[in-house]
Coordinates of all heavy atoms in Angstrom, one line a residue:
M1 N -27.8 41.6 -46.1 CA -27.8 40.7 -47.2 C -28.5 41.3 -48.4 O -29.5 42.0 -48.2 CB -28.4 39.3 -46.8 CG -27.5 38.6 -45.9 SD -28.2 37.0 -45.4 CE -28.4 37.4 -43.7
E2 N -28.2 40.9 -49.6 CA -28.8 41.4 -50.8 C -29.6 40.3 -51.5 O -29.1 39.2 -51.7 CB -27.8 42.1 -51.6 CG -28.2 43.5 -51.9 CD -27.2 44.2 -52.7 OE1 -27.0 43.9 -53.9 OE2 -26.5 45.1 -52.1
H3 N -30.7 40.6 -52.0 CA -31.5 39.8 -52.8 C -30.8 39.6 -54.2 O -30.1 40.5 -54.6 CB -32.9 40.5 -53.0 CG -33.9 39.7 -53.7 ND1 -33.9 39.6 -55.1 CD2 -35.0 39.1 -53.3 CE1 -35.0 38.9 -55.5 NE2 -35.6 38.6 -54.4
R4 N -31.0 38.5 -54.8 CA -30.3 38.3 -56.1 C -30.6 39.3 -57.2 O -29.8 39.6 -58.0 CB -30.6 36.9 -56.6 CG -29.8 35.8 -55.8 CD -29.8 34.5 -56.5 NE -29.1 33.6 -55.7 CZ -29.5 32.5 -55.2 NH1 -30.8 32.1 -55.4 NH2 -28.8 31.7 -54.5
D5 N -31.8 39.9 -57.1 CA -32.1 41.0 -58.0 C -31.8 42.4 -57.4 O -32.3 43.4 -57.9 CB -33.5 40.9 -58.6 CG -34.6 41.2 -57.6 OD1 -34.2 41.6 -56.4 OD2 -35.8 41.0 -57.9
S6 N -30.9 42.4 -56.4 CA -30.4 43.6 -55.8 C -31.4 44.4 -54.9 O -31.1 45.5 -54.5 CB -29.8 44.6 -56.8 OG -28.8 44.0 -57.5
K7 N -32.5 43.8 -54.6 CA -33.4 44.4 -53.6 C -33.0 44.0 -52.2 O -32.7 42.9 -51.9 CB -34.9 43.9 -53.8 CG -35.6 44.3 -55.0 CD -37.0 43.7 -55.0 CE -37.7 44.1 -56.3 NZ -39.0 43.5 -56.3
P8 N -32.8 45.0 -51.3 CA -32.3 44.7 -50.0 C -33.4 43.9 -49.2 O -34.6 44.1 -49.4 CB -32.0 46.0 -49.3 CG -32.7 47.0 -50.2 CD -32.9 46.4 -51.5
Q9 N -33.0 43.0 -48.4 CA -33.9 42.1 -47.6 C -33.8 42.5 -46.1 O -32.7 42.7 -45.7 CB -33.6 40.7 -47.8 CG -33.7 40.2 -49.3 CD -35.1 40.3 -49.8 OE1 -36.0 39.7 -49.3 NE2 -35.3 41.0 -50.9
R10 N -34.9 42.5 -45.4 CA -34.9 42.7 -44.0 C -35.7 41.6 -43.4 O -36.7 41.1 -44.0 CB -35.5 44.1 -43.7 CG -34.8 45.2 -44.4 CD -33.4 45.5 -43.8 NE -32.8 46.6 -44.5 CZ -31.9 46.5 -45.5 NH1 -31.6 45.4 -45.9 NH2 -31.4 47.6 -46.0
T11 N -35.4 41.3 -42.1 CA -36.2 40.4 -41.3 C -36.8 41.1 -40.2 O -36.2 41.9 -39.5 CB -35.3 39.2 -40.8 OG1 -34.7 38.6 -41.9 CG2 -36.2 38.2 -40.0
S12 N -38.1 40.9 -39.9 CA -38.8 41.5 -38.8 C -39.6 40.5 -38.1 O -40.0 39.4 -38.6 CB -39.8 42.6 -39.4 OG -39.1 43.6 -40.0
Y13 N -39.8 40.8 -36.8 CA -40.6 39.9 -35.9 C -41.5 40.9 -35.2 O -41.1 41.8 -34.6 CB -39.8 39.1 -35.0 CG -40.6 38.4 -34.0 CD1 -41.3 37.2 -34.3 CD2 -40.8 38.9 -32.7 CE1 -42.1 36.6 -33.4 CE2 -41.6 38.3 -31.7 CZ -42.2 37.1 -32.1 OH -43.0 36.5 -31.2
I14 N -42.8 40.5 -35.1 CA -43.8 41.3 -34.4 C -44.5 40.4 -33.4 O -45.1 39.4 -33.8 CB -44.8 42.0 -35.3 CG1 -44.0 43.0 -36.2 CG2 -45.8 42.8 -34.4 CD1 -44.9 43.5 -37.3
H15 N -44.4 40.7 -32.1 CA -45.1 39.9 -31.1 C -46.5 40.4 -31.0 O -46.7 41.6 -31.1 CB -44.4 40.0 -29.8 CG -44.8 39.1 -28.8 ND1 -46.0 39.2 -28.1 CD2 -44.3 37.9 -28.3 CE1 -46.2 38.2 -27.3 NE2 -45.1 37.4 -27.4
P16 N -47.5 39.5 -30.9 CA -48.9 40.0 -30.8 C -49.1 41.1 -29.7 O -49.9 42.0 -29.9 CB -49.6 38.7 -30.4 CG -48.8 37.6 -31.0 CD -47.4 38.1 -30.8
R17 N -48.3 41.0 -28.6 CA -48.5 42.0 -27.6 C -48.1 43.4 -28.0 O -48.5 44.4 -27.5 CB -47.8 41.6 -26.3 CG -46.6 42.4 -25.9 CD -45.9 42.0 -24.7 NE -44.5 42.0 -25.1 CZ -43.7 40.9 -25.0 NH1 -44.1 39.8 -24.6 NH2 -42.5 41.0 -25.4
D18 N -47.3 43.5 -29.1 CA -46.8 44.8 -29.6 C -48.0 45.5 -30.3 O -47.8 46.7 -30.7 CB -45.7 44.6 -30.6 CG -44.4 44.0 -30.0 OD1 -44.3 44.2 -28.7 OD2 -43.6 43.4 -30.7
L19 N -49.1 44.8 -30.6 CA -50.2 45.4 -31.3 C -51.5 45.5 -30.4 O -52.5 46.0 -30.8 CB -50.6 44.6 -32.5 CG -49.5 44.5 -33.5 CD1 -49.8 43.5 -34.6 CD2 -49.1 45.8 -34.1
D20 N -51.4 45.0 -29.1 CA -52.6 44.9 -28.3 C -52.7 46.1 -27.4 O -52.2 46.1 -26.2 CB -52.5 43.6 -27.5 CG -53.7 43.4 -26.6 OD1 -54.7 44.2 -26.7 OD2 -53.7 42.4 -25.8
A21 N -53.4 47.2 -27.8 CA -53.5 48.4 -27.0 C -54.4 48.1 -25.8 O -54.4 48.9 -24.9 CB -54.1 49.5 -27.9
G22 N -55.2 47.0 -25.8 CA -56.1 46.7 -24.7 C -55.5 45.8 -23.6 O -56.2 45.5 -22.7
Q23 N -54.2 45.5 -23.7 CA -53.6 44.6 -22.8 C -53.5 45.3 -21.4 O -53.4 46.5 -21.3 CB -52.2 44.2 -23.2 CG -51.2 45.3 -23.3 CD -49.9 44.8 -23.8 OE1 -49.2 44.2 -23.0 NE2 -49.5 45.2 -25.0
P24 N -53.7 44.5 -20.3 CA -53.6 45.1 -19.0 C -52.2 45.5 -18.7 O -51.2 44.9 -19.2 CB -54.0 43.9 -18.1 CG -53.7 42.7 -18.9 CD -53.9 43.0 -20.3
M25 N -52.1 46.6 -18.0 CA -50.8 47.2 -17.6 C -50.3 46.4 -16.4 O -51.0 46.3 -15.4 CB -50.8 48.7 -17.3 CG -49.5 49.3 -17.2 SD -49.5 51.1 -17.1 CE -49.9 51.5 -18.8
L26 N -49.1 45.9 -16.5 CA -48.5 45.1 -15.3 C -48.1 46.1 -14.2 O -47.5 47.2 -14.5 CB -47.3 44.3 -15.8 CG -47.5 43.3 -16.9 CD1 -46.2 42.6 -17.3 CD2 -48.5 42.2 -16.3
E27 N -48.4 45.7 -13.0 CA -48.0 46.6 -11.9 C -46.5 46.4 -11.5 O -45.9 45.3 -11.8 CB -48.8 46.1 -10.7 CG -50.3 46.3 -10.8 CD -50.7 47.8 -10.9 OE1 -50.1 48.6 -10.2 OE2 -51.6 48.1 -11.7
G28 N -45.9 47.4 -11.0 CA -44.6 47.4 -10.5 C -43.4 47.4 -11.5 O -42.3 47.2 -11.2
L29 N -43.7 47.7 -12.8 CA -42.7 47.8 -13.8 C -41.9 49.1 -13.6 O -42.5 50.2 -13.3 CB -43.2 47.8 -15.2 CG -43.8 46.5 -15.7 CD1 -44.4 46.7 -17.1 CD2 -42.7 45.4 -15.8
P30 N -40.6 49.1 -13.7 CA -39.8 50.3 -13.7 C -40.3 51.3 -14.8 O -40.8 50.8 -15.8 CB -38.4 49.9 -14.0 CG -38.4 48.4 -13.7 CD -39.7 47.9 -13.9
L31 N -40.1 52.6 -14.6 CA -40.6 53.6 -15.5 C -40.1 53.3 -17.0 O -40.9 53.4 -17.9 CB -40.2 55.0 -15.1 CG -40.7 56.1 -15.9 CD1 -42.2 56.2 -15.9 CD2 -40.1 57.4 -15.4
V32 N -38.9 53.1 -17.1 CA -38.3 52.9 -18.5 C -39.0 51.6 -19.2 O -39.4 51.7 -20.3 CB -36.8 52.7 -18.5 CG1 -36.2 52.3 -19.8 CG2 -36.1 54.0 -18.0
R33 N -39.1 50.6 -18.4 CA -39.8 49.4 -19.0 C -41.2 49.6 -19.3 O -41.7 49.2 -20.4 CB -39.6 48.2 -18.0 CG -40.3 46.9 -18.4 CD -39.8 46.5 -19.8 NE -40.7 45.5 -20.3 CZ -40.4 44.2 -20.4 NH1 -39.3 43.7 -19.9 NH2 -41.3 43.4 -20.9
R34 N -41.9 50.3 -18.5 CA -43.3 50.7 -18.7 C -43.4 51.5 -20.0 O -44.3 51.3 -20.8 CB -43.9 51.4 -17.5 CG -45.4 51.5 -17.5 CD -45.9 52.0 -16.2 NE -44.9 52.6 -15.3 CZ -45.1 53.4 -14.4 NH1 -46.3 53.8 -14.1 NH2 -44.1 53.8 -13.6
F35 N -42.5 52.5 -20.1 CA -42.5 53.3 -21.3 C -42.3 52.5 -22.6 O -43.1 52.6 -23.5 CB -41.4 54.4 -21.2 CG -41.3 55.3 -22.4 CD1 -42.1 56.4 -22.5 CD2 -40.5 55.0 -23.4 CE1 -42.1 57.3 -23.5 CE2 -40.4 55.9 -24.5 CZ -41.2 57.0 -24.6
K36 N -41.3 51.6 -22.6 CA -41.0 50.7 -23.7 C -42.2 49.8 -24.0 O -42.4 49.5 -25.2 CB -39.8 49.9 -23.5 CG -38.5 50.7 -23.5 CD -37.4 49.7 -23.2 CE -36.0 50.3 -23.2 NZ -35.0 49.3 -23.0
S37 N -42.9 49.3 -23.0 CA -43.9 48.3 -23.2 C -45.3 48.9 -23.6 O -46.1 48.2 -24.3 CB -44.1 47.5 -21.9 OG -43.0 46.8 -21.6
Y38 N -45.6 50.1 -23.3 CA -46.9 50.6 -23.5 C -47.1 51.9 -24.3 O -48.1 52.1 -24.9 CB -47.6 50.8 -22.1 CG -47.7 49.6 -21.3 CD1 -46.9 49.4 -20.2 CD2 -48.6 48.6 -21.7 CE1 -46.9 48.2 -19.5 CE2 -48.6 47.4 -20.9 CZ -47.8 47.2 -19.9 OH -47.8 46.0 -19.1
V39 N -46.1 52.7 -24.4 CA -46.2 53.9 -25.2 C -46.2 53.6 -26.7 O -45.4 52.8 -27.1 CB -45.0 54.9 -24.9 CG1 -45.0 56.1 -25.8 CG2 -45.2 55.4 -23.4
G40 N -47.1 54.1 -27.4 CA -47.2 53.9 -28.8 C -48.1 52.7 -29.2 O -48.3 52.5 -30.4
L41 N -48.7 52.0 -28.3 CA -49.5 50.8 -28.6 C -50.8 51.2 -29.4 O -51.2 50.5 -30.3 CB -49.9 50.0 -27.4 CG -48.9 49.1 -26.8 CD1 -49.4 48.5 -25.5 CD2 -48.4 48.1 -27.8
K42 N -51.3 52.3 -29.1 CA -52.6 52.7 -29.8 C -52.4 53.0 -31.3 O -53.3 52.7 -32.0 CB -53.2 54.0 -29.1 CG -53.7 53.7 -27.7 CD -54.3 55.0 -27.1 CE -54.8 54.6 -25.7 NZ -55.2 55.8 -25.0
G43 N -51.2 53.4 -31.7 CA -51.0 53.6 -33.1 C -50.3 52.5 -33.8 O -50.0 52.6 -35.0
A44 N -49.9 51.4 -33.1 CA -49.1 50.4 -33.7 C -49.8 49.6 -34.8 O -49.2 49.3 -35.8 CB -48.7 49.4 -32.6
E45 N -51.1 49.4 -34.7 CA -51.8 48.6 -35.7 C -51.9 49.4 -37.0 O -51.7 48.9 -38.1 CB -53.2 48.3 -35.3 CG -54.0 47.5 -36.3 CD -55.4 47.1 -35.9 OE1 -55.8 47.3 -34.8 OE2 -56.1 46.6 -36.8
K46 N -52.1 50.7 -36.9 CA -52.2 51.6 -38.1 C -50.8 51.6 -38.8 O -50.7 51.5 -40.0 CB -52.6 53.0 -37.7 CG -52.6 54.0 -38.8 CD -53.1 55.4 -38.4 CE -53.1 56.3 -39.5 NZ -53.4 57.7 -39.1
K47 N -49.7 51.7 -38.0 CA -48.4 51.6 -38.6 C -48.1 50.3 -39.3 O -47.5 50.3 -40.3 CB -47.3 51.9 -37.5 CG -47.4 53.4 -37.0 CD -46.4 53.6 -35.9 CE -46.6 54.9 -35.3 NZ -45.8 55.1 -34.1
L48 N -48.5 49.2 -38.7 CA -48.3 47.9 -39.3 C -49.1 47.8 -40.6 O -48.5 47.3 -41.6 CB -48.8 46.8 -38.3 CG -48.7 45.4 -38.9 CD1 -47.3 45.0 -39.3 CD2 -49.3 44.4 -37.9
R49 N -50.3 48.2 -40.6 CA -51.1 48.2 -41.8 C -50.4 49.0 -43.0 O -50.4 48.6 -44.1 CB -52.5 48.7 -41.6 CG -53.3 47.7 -40.8 CD -54.8 48.2 -40.6 NE -55.5 47.3 -39.8 CZ -56.0 46.1 -40.1 NH1 -55.8 45.6 -41.4 NH2 -56.6 45.3 -39.3
K50 N -49.8 50.1 -42.6 CA -49.1 50.9 -43.6 C -47.9 50.2 -44.1 O -47.7 50.2 -45.4 CB -48.7 52.3 -43.0 CG -48.0 53.2 -44.0 CD -48.0 54.6 -43.7 CE -47.2 55.5 -44.6 NZ -47.3 55.2 -46.0
C51 N -47.2 49.6 -43.3 CA -46.0 48.8 -43.7 C -46.4 47.6 -44.6 O -45.8 47.4 -45.6 CB -45.3 48.2 -42.5 SG -44.3 49.4 -41.6
L52 N -47.6 47.0 -44.3 CA -48.0 45.9 -45.1 C -48.4 46.3 -46.5 O -48.4 45.5 -47.5 CB -49.2 45.2 -44.4 CG -48.8 44.4 -43.2 CD1 -50.1 43.9 -42.5 CD2 -47.8 43.3 -43.4
T53 N -48.9 47.6 -46.7 CA -49.2 48.1 -48.0 C -48.0 48.7 -48.7 O -48.0 48.7 -49.9 CB -50.4 49.1 -48.0 OG1 -50.0 50.2 -47.1 CG2 -51.6 48.5 -47.4
D54 N -47.1 49.2 -48.0 CA -45.9 49.9 -48.6 C -44.8 49.0 -49.0 O -43.9 49.4 -49.8 CB -45.4 51.0 -47.6 CG -46.3 52.2 -47.5 OD1 -47.3 52.2 -48.2 OD2 -46.0 53.0 -46.6
F55 N -44.7 47.8 -48.4 CA -43.5 46.9 -48.6 C -44.0 45.5 -49.0 O -45.1 45.1 -48.7 CB -42.7 46.8 -47.3 CG -42.1 48.1 -46.9 CD1 -42.7 48.9 -45.9 CD2 -41.0 48.7 -47.5 CE1 -42.2 50.1 -45.5 CE2 -40.5 49.9 -47.1 CZ -41.1 50.6 -46.1
E56 N -43.1 44.8 -49.7 CA -43.3 43.4 -50.0 C -42.8 42.5 -48.9 O -41.8 42.8 -48.3 CB -42.6 43.0 -51.3 CG -43.2 43.7 -52.6 CD -42.4 43.2 -53.8 OE1 -42.0 42.0 -53.8 OE2 -42.2 44.0 -54.7
F57 N -43.6 41.5 -48.6 CA -43.2 40.5 -47.6 C -43.2 39.1 -48.1 O -43.9 38.8 -49.1 CB -44.2 40.6 -46.4 CG -44.0 41.9 -45.6 CD1 -44.7 43.0 -46.0 CD2 -43.2 41.9 -44.5 CE1 -44.5 44.2 -45.3 CE2 -43.1 43.1 -43.8 CZ -43.7 44.2 -44.2
T58 N -42.4 38.3 -47.5 CA -42.4 36.8 -47.9 C -42.1 36.0 -46.7 O -41.7 36.6 -45.6 CB -41.4 36.6 -49.0 OG1 -41.5 35.3 -49.5 CG2 -39.9 36.7 -48.5
D59 N -42.2 34.7 -46.8 CA -41.9 33.9 -45.6 C -40.4 33.6 -45.6 O -39.7 33.8 -46.6 CB -42.7 32.6 -45.7 CG -42.4 31.8 -47.0 OD1 -43.1 32.1 -48.0 OD2 -41.5 31.0 -47.0
I60 N -39.9 33.1 -44.5 CA -38.5 32.9 -44.3 C -37.9 31.9 -45.3 O -36.8 32.0 -45.8 CB -38.2 32.4 -42.8 CG1 -38.4 33.6 -41.9 CG2 -36.8 31.9 -42.7 CD1 -37.5 34.8 -42.0
A61 N -38.7 30.8 -45.5 CA -38.2 29.7 -46.5 C -37.9 30.3 -47.9 O -36.9 30.0 -48.5 CB -39.2 28.6 -46.5
T62 N -38.9 31.1 -48.3 CA -38.7 31.7 -49.7 C -37.5 32.7 -49.7 O -36.7 32.7 -50.6 CB -40.0 32.4 -50.1 OG1 -41.0 31.5 -50.1 CG2 -39.9 33.0 -51.5
A63 N -37.5 33.5 -48.6 CA -36.4 34.5 -48.5 C -35.0 33.9 -48.5 O -34.1 34.4 -49.1 CB -36.6 35.4 -47.3
E64 N -34.9 32.8 -47.8 CA -33.6 32.1 -47.7 C -33.1 31.6 -49.1 O -31.9 31.7 -49.4 CB -33.8 30.9 -46.8 CG -32.5 30.2 -46.4 CD -32.0 29.2 -47.4 OE1 -32.8 28.6 -48.1 OE2 -30.8 29.0 -47.5
K65 N -34.1 31.2 -49.9 CA -33.7 30.8 -51.3 C -33.2 32.0 -52.2 O -32.6 31.8 -53.2 CB -34.9 30.1 -51.9 CG -35.2 28.8 -51.3 CD -36.5 28.2 -51.9 CE -36.9 26.9 -51.1 NZ -38.2 26.5 -51.4
L66 N -33.6 33.2 -51.8 CA -33.3 34.3 -52.6 C -31.9 35.0 -52.3 O -31.4 35.8 -53.0 CB -34.4 35.4 -52.5 CG -35.8 35.0 -52.9 CD1 -36.8 36.1 -52.6 CD2 -35.8 34.7 -54.4
I67 N -31.4 34.6 -51.1 CA -30.1 35.1 -50.7 C -28.9 34.5 -51.5 O -28.8 33.3 -51.6 CB -29.9 34.9 -49.2 CG1 -31.0 35.6 -48.4 CG2 -28.5 35.3 -48.7 CD1 -31.0 35.3 -46.9
G68 N -28.1 35.4 -52.0 CA -26.9 34.9 -52.6 C -25.8 34.6 -51.6 O -24.9 35.4 -51.3
W69 N -25.9 33.4 -51.0 CA -25.1 33.0 -49.9 C -23.6 33.0 -50.2 O -22.8 33.2 -49.3 CB -25.5 31.6 -49.4 CG -26.8 31.6 -48.7 CD1 -28.0 31.1 -49.1 CD2 -27.1 32.2 -47.4 NE1 -29.0 31.3 -48.2 CE2 -28.5 32.0 -47.2 CE3 -26.4 32.9 -46.4 CZ2 -29.2 32.5 -46.0 CZ3 -27.0 33.3 -45.3 CH2 -28.4 33.1 -45.1
E70 N -23.3 32.8 -51.5 CA -21.9 32.8 -51.8 C -21.2 34.2 -51.7 O -20.0 34.3 -51.6 CB -21.7 32.4 -53.3 CG -22.3 33.2 -54.4 CD -23.8 33.1 -54.5 OE1 -24.4 32.2 -53.9 OE2 -24.4 34.0 -55.2
K71 N -22.0 35.3 -51.6 CA -21.5 36.6 -51.4 C -21.6 37.1 -49.9 O -21.1 38.2 -49.6 CB -22.3 37.6 -52.3 CG -22.2 37.3 -53.7 CD -23.0 38.3 -54.5 CE -22.9 38.0 -56.0 NZ -23.8 38.9 -56.8
V72 N -22.2 36.3 -49.1 CA -22.3 36.7 -47.7 C -21.0 36.6 -46.9 O -20.4 35.5 -46.9 CB -23.5 35.9 -47.0 CG1 -23.6 36.2 -45.5 CG2 -24.8 36.1 -47.7
P73 N -20.6 37.7 -46.3 CA -19.3 37.6 -45.6 C -19.4 36.7 -44.3 O -20.5 36.6 -43.7 CB -19.0 39.0 -45.2 CG -20.3 39.7 -45.2 CD -21.1 39.0 -46.2
I74 N -18.3 36.0 -44.0 CA -18.3 35.1 -42.8 C -17.7 36.0 -41.7 O -16.6 36.6 -41.9 CB -17.5 33.9 -43.1 CG1 -18.1 33.0 -44.2 CG2 -17.3 33.1 -41.8 CD1 -17.3 31.8 -44.6
V75 N -18.4 36.0 -40.6 CA -17.9 36.8 -39.4 C -17.4 35.8 -38.4 O -18.2 34.9 -37.9 CB -19.0 37.7 -38.9 CG1 -18.5 38.4 -37.6 CG2 -19.4 38.7 -40.0
R76 N -16.2 35.8 -38.0 CA -15.7 34.9 -37.0 C -15.6 35.7 -35.7 O -14.9 36.7 -35.7 CB -14.4 34.3 -37.4 CG -14.5 33.6 -38.7 CD -13.5 32.4 -38.8 NE -13.5 31.9 -40.1 CZ -14.3 30.9 -40.5 NH1 -15.2 30.4 -39.7 NH2 -14.2 30.4 -41.7
L77 N -16.1 35.1 -34.6 CA -16.0 35.8 -33.3 C -15.0 35.1 -32.5 O -14.7 34.0 -32.5 CB -17.4 35.7 -32.7 CG -18.5 36.4 -33.5 CD1 -19.8 36.2 -32.8 CD2 -18.3 37.8 -33.6

């Protein structure tokens, strides 16, 4: 979707556990799941701080008002 002043908009969600490098490691997780859950946690906070300084953020209610809904394509499944 595009912002009315042509700035592209993105939505992101970050779960607190995605930033907690000190969280206990769960026993018995398959290797792939363990990799996805724990690799990169130590650098996650630094990356988030960089994103917060490099990009503009807003809340969902404000973002919704900025979307030109009349131009959004309808996808029928």
